[in-house]
Amino acid sequence: MEQGLISVIVPIYNIMDCLPRCVQSICGQTYRNLEILLVDDGSDDGTERLVDELGAQDERIRVFHKANGGSSSARNLGIGKARGEYLAFVDSDDYIEPQMYEKLMEYILEKNVLMAQTSRDEIDEDGNRLPNVCEPPREAYVCDPQQFIRELLLHRGDCSYCTKLTHRTLFENHRFPEGVLNEDFHLLIQMLGEMRQGNKGSGTCGISGIPGVAILPQQYYHVFYRTGSNTRKKSRKEFSRVFIDIVENADMMEKIVEESYPELRREAVRFGLYQRLDYMLHIPVENMAGDNTFYQSVKKYLRKHWKDTVGNPFLTKKNKIYLLLLTAAPRTVRQVHGWKMKMRS
């Protein structure tokens, strides 16, 4: 069977130290029918020249330069330029195993799905493996759209498009939202809803794919955990926008679940409580003020849902204790929590 062309899109911005490893890992794939789109998002530290140098090393590489607009903007440009039947994404500081796309393609064809996902691990700046963010399954399986949404609500699913190989028809009506930090989550929820409704597009050889995502247990994708990124700040006093975005994601999911997945209500409420717990554990104490309307809305939600906190079966005992304490005395709890963290460091 003829192998379908895979377009691998790499958004790039000021990342000279990691980019060669990333590009080399893509060029070294055992699946050879690739085009690699390096999208330079307005780099100004010499990376823009490095992109051109790397582009000259492999005829499958296509280089694009654009004004800085963020990762989603660069990805969306790549989608518009891609020629492949399948689309893939790799962040420029990450790298992948040589067999990743070969194995994903094999499973796509075997299970007749339009999206497949590998598992991932995280590597720190010293080369050490960090605890898994998403635990790999014990064996490969196909997860239907509603079950995948449930896994996301329980923080067991992987929303990243970097771990996925996706048929281009799923992007016909979709692009990554720009100006938000959880762009993958937003887009995946839309695609899963479209799959569930049966509007799946045309799969390989014109055959509609089975709705769902094929998931492989092998950790073929390696996330390089570097401090100082959009979501990882060096100082505890810095408060990333991501902690506001995750609360807004939770609000979005509660509305979607209410309209389309009422059987997942408890999971959605758990998601909302857990996201707010993350927010409350990261917001600087000095920001926990009466004139901070977003913080006040989080407090109001926790107080309104204290019974859900107590009775939700998907929250751990530790989650419940922290949530109830933060509901009752948020500033005091945070001050004590900060003191304990300092003692451990």
Side-chain angles (χ1 to χ4, degrees), residues 165-236:
L165 182 59
T166 306
H167 198 276
R168 71 174 303 122
T169 53
L170 290 176
F171 284 97
E172 284 180 354
N173 301 315
H174 301 292
R175 291 294 186 269
F176 289 97
E178 299 181 20
V180 298
L181 292 180
N182 286 278
E183 63 272 21
D184 292 44
F185 183 89
H186 283 258
L187 181 57
L188 184 59
I189 292 298
Q190 294 175 13
M191 282 193 182
L192 290 169
E194 187 175 276
M195 289 183 193
R196 181 172 179 263
Q197 294 167 8
N199 184 18
K200 302 178 292 298
S202 176
T204 46
C205 303
I207 302 173
S208 293
I210 296 170
V213 182
I215 300 177
L216 300 178
Q218 293 86 358
Q219 293 174 303
Y220 291 140
Y221 191 94
H222 305 296
V223 176
F224 182 53
Y225 192 102
R226 57 193 294 126
T227 55
S229 69
N230 280 339
T231 58
R232 301 151 184 162
K233 297 296 181 180
K234 292 180 179 179
S235 170
R236 289 196 183 106

Side-chain angles (χ1 to χ4, degrees), residues 288-330:
M288 302 170 81
D291 60 352
N292 186 333
T293 55
F294 193 88
Y295 164 69
Q296 292 298 327
S297 72
V298 171
K299 281 206 312 181
K300 183 178 179 180
Y301 184 97
L302 294 181
R303 290 170 179 170
K304 179 180 178 182
H305 290 273
W306 72 267
K307 290 184 179 179
D308 288 310
T309 298
V310 173
N312 195 289
F314 304 116
L315 289 168
T316 66
K317 183 178 179 180
K318 183 177 180 180
N319 292 158
K320 293 180 181 182
I321 291 172
Y322 262 111
L323 280 165
L324 291 173
L325 289 173
L326 286 164
T327 300

Side-chain angles (χ1 to χ4, degrees), residues 18-294:
C18 297
L19 186 59
R21 178 181 63 182
C22 172
V23 175
Q24 289 163 13
S25 74
I26 303 170
C27 291
Q29 289 294 294
T30 56
Y31 190 96
R32 302 301 296 169
N33 193 19
L34 301 174
E35 65 165 4
I36 304 162
L37 285 70
L38 304 183
V39 184
D40 170 43
D41 188 41
S43 296
D44 57 10
D45 68 340
T47 299
E48 66 278 18
R49 295 186 295 275
L50 177 59
V51 170
D52 291 329
E53 293 171 9
L54 293 170
Q57 295 176 10
D58 192 308
E59 62 182 8
R60 297 172 298 172
I61 295 177
R62 301 166 61 201
V63 172
F64 302 91
H65 295 277
K66 61 182 288 297
N68 181 254
S71 177
S72 290
S73 173
R75 283 176 166 187
N76 289 338
L77 184 147
I79 293 170
K81 300 292 185 180
R83 302 165 180 161
E85 184 180 2
Y86 297 87
L87 303 184
F89 304 87
V90 179
D91 285 344
S92 54
D93 45 0
D94 300 338
Y95 58 102
I96 60 180
E97 290 296 313
Q99 66 271 45
M100 177 169 151
Y101 292 128
E102 179 182 1
K103 296 301 182 182
L104 286 173
M105 183 64 79
E106 286 178 359
Y107 211 55
I108 280 177
L109 297 177
E110 177 186 339
K111 299 300 181 181
N112 191 31
V113 293
L114 300 181
M115 181 185 290
Q117 170 188 298
T118 187
S119 297
R120 62 184 169 107
D121 60 16
E122 297 208 5
I123 311 295
D124 70 14
E125 291 175 308
D126 296 321
N128 303 310
R129 282 192 58 176
L130 300 172
N132 290 325
V133 174
C134 302
E135 288 297 329
R138 293 184 177 180
E139 58 185 25
Y141 74 106
V142 176
C143 187
D144 70 68
Q146 180 166 317
Q147 179 61 24
F148 202 108
I149 288 175
R150 184 175 187 270
E151 293 297 296
L152 291 174
L153 293 175
L154 295 177
H155 289 94
R156 299 191 304 225
D158 183 3
C159 67
S160 173
Y161 275 85
C162 289
T163 55
K164 295 174 178 61
L165 182 59
T166 306
H167 198 276
R168 71 174 303 122
T169 53
L170 290 176
F171 284 97
E172 284 180 354
N173 301 315
H174 301 292
R175 291 294 186 269
F176 289 97
E178 299 181 20
V180 298
L181 292 180
N182 286 278
E183 63 272 21
D184 292 44
F185 183 89
H186 283 258
L187 181 57
L188 184 59
I189 292 298
Q190 294 175 13
M191 282 193 182
L192 290 169
E194 187 175 276
M195 289 183 193
R196 181 172 179 263
Q197 294 167 8
N199 184 18
K200 302 178 292 298
S202 176
T204 46
C205 303
I207 302 173
S208 293
I210 296 170
V213 182
I215 300 177
L216 300 178
Q218 293 86 358
Q219 293 174 303
Y220 291 140
Y221 191 94
H222 305 296
V223 176
F224 182 53
Y225 192 102
R226 57 193 294 126
T227 55
S229 69
N230 280 339
T231 58
R232 301 151 184 162
K233 297 296 181 180
K234 292 180 179 179
S235 170
R236 289 196 183 106
K237 292 184 179 180
E238 295 183 68
F239 188 50
S240 172
R241 166 74 202 188
V242 72
F243 295 109
I244 295 174
D245 285 350
I246 63 175
V247 174
E248 293 177 345
N249 282 347
D251 291 340
M252 175 188 74
M253 287 309 303
E254 283 202 54
K255 292 179 181 178
I256 290 174
V257 165
E258 182 180 353
E259 295 171 359
S260 304
Y261 309 91
E263 59 274 25
L264 297 180
R265 180 193 174 276
R266 291 188 305 175
E267 288 88 343
V269 171
R270 180 262 179 204
F271 189 69
L273 289 168
Y274 192 94
Q275 301 293 74
R276 285 169 173 83
L277 173 60
D278 205 10
Y279 170 91
M280 291 293 273
L281 289 176
H282 286 88
I283 180 174
V285 175
E286 57 268 27
N287 289 5
M288 302 170 81
D291 60 352
N292 186 333
T293 55
F294 193 88

